[in-house]
């Protein structure tokens, strides 16, 4: 005789899996056109389809463990174990999609909008922050408090190619760190090809000297003084750079579609140590979606 509870659990799991297969973008951050990647990831990581779907759903929707337990017909303890034991494995697999191509390949895929004045742009950089629960220890509270966000955050430096592909993401740092210092300690500068350009906003002005040491040039909007009116040339230059630098903002916007990376996600203290892994997974999945730049 069949156990009624067993049948019910199986039905709930099958319903969850079918729903996610039919709506991969909503539940896992993967376009229908790229759904074949799930089989590749499962084979490469040796994760079962259920465990893979569970982790991707956590990244995409940031549902609490109890809700995931109900959806996948397992215990809360099992959800915690699956995520704890396998998050790093999936992160390493998807990190392979965060690539920094050779300069020739970057040039080959350069959008037309860059070719006239900014053909030497190697990458476009910016920072983004994710709110976390207030740490219990005072020193951690201080290190993670962001004066800009007025809350405790983890900050990341992100870089994208001119075509919008994410090619760099740093390890997370306490929200107190400045954008400039994060550039210095992130390992980003060591990845640069000499005699190329890095595009950024005005807040990265102090990175200019660091870039010179690596024989690179910073491209940013012209500096202005509040009491002075911008010249027509400065206004034009500002508009040109803003129209191109927006690509990295779009890349960040795509990452924000993953609920656990939203600005005010208020990541649980128990998951803060795993936030780098969630970011790597989201960046990898973002790069297998449709191209950000269409020309």
């Amino acid at each position: 005789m069949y156990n009624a509870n067993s049948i019910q659990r199986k039905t709930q799991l099958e319903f969850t899996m079918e729903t996610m297969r039919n709506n991969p973008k909503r539940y896992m951050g993967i376009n229908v056109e790229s759904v074949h990647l799930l089989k590749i990831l499962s084979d490469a990581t040796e994760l079962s389809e259920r465990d893979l779907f569970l982790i991707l759903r956590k990244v995409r929707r940031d549902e609490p463990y109890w809700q995931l337990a109900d959806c996948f017909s397992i215990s809360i303890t099992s959800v915690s174990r699956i995520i704890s034991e396998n998050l790093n494995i999936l992160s390493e697999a998807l990190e392979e999609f965060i690539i920094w191509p050779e300069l020739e390949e970057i040039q080959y895929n350069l959008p037309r909008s860059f070719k006239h004045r900014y053909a030497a742009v190697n990458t476009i950089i910016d920072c983004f922050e994710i709110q976390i629960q207030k740490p219990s220890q005072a020193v951690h509270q201080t290190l993670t408090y962001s004066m800009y966000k007025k809350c405790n955050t983890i900050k990341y430096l992100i870089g994208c190619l001119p075509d919008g592909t994410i090619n760099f993401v740093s390890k997370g740092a306490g929200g107190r760190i400045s954008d400039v210092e994060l550039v210095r300690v992130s390992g980003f500068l060591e990845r640069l090809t000499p005699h190329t350009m890095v595009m950024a906003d005005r807040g990265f002005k102090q990175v200019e000297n660091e870039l010179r040491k690596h024989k690179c040039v910073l491209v940013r909007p012209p500096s202005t003084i509040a009491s002075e009116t911008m010249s027509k040339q400065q206004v034009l230059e500002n508009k040109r750079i803003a129209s191109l630098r927006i690509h990295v903002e779009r890349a960040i916007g795509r990452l924000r579609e993953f609920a656990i990376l939203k600005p005010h996600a208020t990541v649980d203290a128990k998951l803060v140590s795993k936030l780098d892994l969630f970011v790597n997974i989201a960046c990898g999945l973002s790069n297998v979606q449709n191209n950000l730049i269409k020309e």
Side-chain angles (χ1 to χ4, degrees), residues 2-63:
Y2 291 105
N3 181 292
N5 290 332
S6 175
I7 294 175
Q8 184 177 7
R9 285 198 299 272
K10 182 178 180 181
T11 302
Q12 175 60 49
L13 176 59
E14 289 179 343
F15 175 77
T16 296
M17 300 288 280
E18 182 179 2
T19 301
M20 293 178 68
R21 288 190 195 97
N22 292 336
N23 300 277
K25 182 71 178 292
R26 178 186 301 171
Y27 291 101
M28 295 180 281
I30 296 178
N31 292 331
V32 172
E33 299 82 1
S34 303
V35 75
H36 63 279
L37 176 65
L38 295 171
K39 179 65 166 60
I40 296 173
L41 283 174
S42 182
D43 291 343
T45 60
E46 299 184 353
L47 290 175
S48 68
E49 189 177 42
R50 183 202 67 182
D51 292 358
L52 176 63
F53 277 38
L54 187 153
I55 295 172
L56 292 178
R57 183 163 176 147
K58 176 61 179 175
V59 181
R60 185 65 172 180
R61 299 176 67 85
D62 195 22
E63 294 168 341

Side-chain angles (χ1 to χ4, degrees), residues 111-115 117-118 121 124 160-162 199 219 238-250 293 295:
R112 288 193 301 271
S113 53
F114 280 82
K115 288 184 177 179
R117 295 177 182 273
Y118 306 107
V121 170
I124 312 167
C160 76
L161 303 174
M199 186 172 283
V219 178
N238 189 49
K239 288 182 177 180
R240 284 184 186 134
I241 296 175
S243 67
L244 300 178
R245 202 188 66 79
I246 197 173
H247 297 341
V248 73
E249 295 177 4
R250 289 173 177 166
I293 312 303
E295 291 191 336

Side-chain angles (χ1 to χ4, degrees), residues 129 131-132 144-153 263-264:
E129 298 181 60
Q131 185 176 353
I132 61 173
T144 60
Y145 188 77
S146 168
M147 295 300 295
Y148 178 65
K149 296 292 185 180
K150 305 301 180 185
C151 59
N152 297 93
T153 69
H264 298 290

